Amino acid sequence: MSEIKKIAILTGGGDCPGLNPVIRAVVKTAIERYGLEVVGIKRGYYGLYHKYFSPLTVEMVDEILTEGGTILQSSNKDNLFIYPMRDENGEIVKDENGKIVYHDVSDVAVENLKEAGIDALFILGGDGTLTSGRDFARKGVKVVAIPKTIDNDLACTDYTFGFDTAVATVSESIDRLRTTTRSHDRISVVEVMGRGAGWLTLHGGIAGGADAILLPEIPFDLTKVAEKIKKDRANGKNYQIVAVAEGAKEKDGEAVILKVREDSPDPIRLGGIANVVADKLEEMTGFEARATILGHTQRGGSPTGHDRILSTRYGNAAVKLAMEEGIFGHMVVLKGNEISHVSLEEVIGQKTKNVTPDDPYVVLAKDIGICFGD
Ligand code: F6P
């Protein structure tokens, strides 16, 4: 008999499509199959610290399969191991040099779980959220992790949920841009999210039929892209689509930073490279170029069928891992078409997963004439 009677779920970091289907699968498996009690923790680790706990029932999650976002809400700036101190008015405390003062409040969170009688914590997140997950596991919390992010950059798993939906959004956005770009003989430069990883741009660019794909992992030379555009124009193609990752950079250049969020454990927000690329390509080719930054549209929308199934499999497997095998401190992963699990120590111990220049999808794209500017 398992000693697990009551579990809690939290969603951390940037939201993505598929979080709700995972919540639904965890709740349904836990209640229908194992008769457990389930608690939802609102607003990620912030809610764990402030005890934003409330019961979750099968009826509450039945309809959320198709909904984007997370019914539990999320936060991407509440690392309880390095938590900004606040004064009695709720203002962040800074030292004499204007630097934020941090302290470790993770023990409060552990106590909160104990006090609520929660035996295991299911954490849905990307590398930042799961680094804290690993640290809670080290403190003895029974953690089960489920890999989330549109960036698909988490180590040890082939795919995170949310990625497939974001690829569909990128390719659909390019479809919409194609007709207007073609009607005006323009170049459209489309900026795609992904932080330092190019997976979303690579897959979205191929799916959307981009002429050039510029990735963080393959620094680019715009004269090569301009040459490709001029050659295509000479051959009769009157418009071009360039997909550029928000973290992409020119050879010997730097990534373009949109803003620095001082209060976030991961403070850099990328954005703006599409404008730089569009301006330079217009100058180099003489053809009008426009930039479109897809931004947070890529995190929204109803999950694709693929993501609904993957999320359901992940949620179900996570509960089974805890109940059938009694394994904690692990993350469920997808390898090929099989779900298995890997310890959080191993996942977080590795660098994030990046595109390599010999990735089969890069080779595929080059084989069909897509330019990477390298
Ligand atoms: O990690 C997911 C992601 O959407 C990245 O692709 C992007 O760089 C970042 O989050 C944006 O974060 P925020 O929502 O804080 O602007």
Side-chain angles (χ1 to χ4, degrees):
M1 276 287 280
S2 170
E3 68 212 24
I4 307 297
K5 305 275 179 266
K6 188 173 183 180
I7 65 169
I9 313 173
L10 72 76
T11 55
D15 72 330
C16 79
L19 284 163
N20 281 330
V22 175
I23 294 169
R24 176 177 176 267
V26 170
V27 171
K28 287 196 164 197
T29 306
I31 296 175
E32 305 274 23
R33 183 168 171 145
Y34 296 105
L36 305 181
E37 242 185 282
V38 187
V39 167
I41 300 177
K42 285 242 169 173
R43 294 186 58 186
Y45 291 122
Y46 184 86
L48 179 56
Y49 182 50
H50 291 281
K51 296 199 258 187
Y52 291 176
F53 299 167
S54 51
L56 282 173
T57 63
V58 167
E59 294 67 37
M60 286 161 84
V61 298
D62 203 24
E63 302 289 320
I64 64 174
L65 178 66
T66 60
E67 282 176 28
T70 160
I71 57 163
L72 294 175
Q73 300 184 280
S74 194
S75 160
N76 60 2
K77 43 182 190 297
D78 293 294
N79 182 339
L80 302 183
F81 293 84
I82 34 169
Y83 198 63
M85 273 183 90
R86 290 178 186 272
D87 62 21
E88 56 284 0
N89 303 317
E91 298 296 323
I92 289 180
V93 175
K94 295 191 175 178
D95 66 15
E96 59 278 11
N97 302 315
K99 294 249 182 264
I100 296 177
V101 180
Y102 293 96
H103 60 162
D104 180 345
V105 297
S106 58
D107 283 341
V108 177
V110 175
E111 266 317 299
N112 290 346
L113 288 170
K114 276 193 196 141
E115 191 189 289
I118 292 162
D119 303 309
L121 178 61
F122 287 67
I123 302 176
L124 284 53
D127 62 338
T129 305
L130 297 185
T131 300
S132 289
R134 177 206 58 188
D135 295 341
F136 278 115
R138 283 180 178 173
K139 282 178 141 320
V141 177
K142 288 189 160 70
V143 169
V144 184
I146 305 172
K148 163 242 74 162
T149 170
I150 63 164
D151 305 340
N152 200 38
D153 61 349
L154 255 183
C156 302
T157 187
D158 290 350
Y159 289 101
T160 51
F161 68 84
F163 176 67
D164 185 69
T165 308
V167 169
T169 302
V170 172
S171 73
E172 192 198 319
S173 304
I174 294 177
D175 292 349
R176 287 172 192 272
L177 280 170
R178 179 179 306 283
T179 50
T180 174
T181 309
R182 186 164 54 202
S183 301
H184 292 273
D185 300 314
R186 284 175 176 159
I187 300 165
S188 264
V189 181
V190 188
E191 184 173 307
V192 178
M193 277 186 168
R195 297 193 301 173
W199 299 109
L200 187 53
T201 312
L202 177 61
H203 286 244
I206 294 173
D211 301 284
I213 294 179
L214 307 176
L215 303 180
E217 296 90 343
I218 306 178
F220 55 87
D221 175 354
L222 280 179
T223 58
K224 299 250 170 78
V225 183
E227 271 166 32
K228 148 92 178 155
I229 290 173
K230 285 189 206 157
K231 192 169 140 227
D232 284 358
R233 294 274 172 146
N235 289 334
K237 186 166 183 178
N238 73 322
Y239 75 99
Q240 275 76 32
I241 307 279
V242 177
V244 59
E246 62 179 0
K249 47 186 172 291
E250 292 184 71
K251 284 182 178 161
D252 305 321
E254 292 296 330
V256 179
I257 293 173
L258 175 70
K259 62 166 77 165
V260 178
R261 286 296 311 251
E262 229 200 313
D263 60 343
S264 169
D266 185 11
I268 304 293
R269 295 293 181 275
L270 298 165
I273 183 73
N275 296 306
V276 176
V277 169
D279 287 350
K280 287 192 178 175
L281 285 180
E282 183 166 301
E283 201 180 300
M284 287 172 170
T285 63
F287 304 121
E288 188 180 3
R290 293 296 178 88
T292 303
I293 298 177
L294 299 182
H296 289 86
T297 58
Q298 297 160 99
R299 294 233 299 256
S302 178
T304 56
H306 180 278
D307 265 338
R308 291 180 199 184
I309 291 171
L310 179 61
S311 298
T312 305
R313 290 179 76 195
Y314 271 149
N316 173 260
V319 178
K320 283 187 162 166
L321 187 65
M323 299 308 291
E324 305 281 336
E325 301 188 53
I327 292 178
F328 299 97
H330 278 226
M331 177 177 92
V332 288
V333 299
L334 184 73
K335 284 281 171 198
N337 196 29
E338 296 299 316
I339 303 267
S340 57
H341 55 92
V342 174
S343 81
L344 278 171
E345 291 291 344
E346 191 175 335
V347 175
I348 303 303
Q350 292 189 27
K351 285 201 189 115
T352 50
K353 185 178 68 187
N354 278 90
V355 177
T356 54
D358 61 351
D359 182 273
Y361 287 89
V362 174
V363 175
L364 164 73
K366 285 187 172 173
D367 280 350
I368 60 166
I370 298 177
C371 173
F372 285 74
D374 56 342

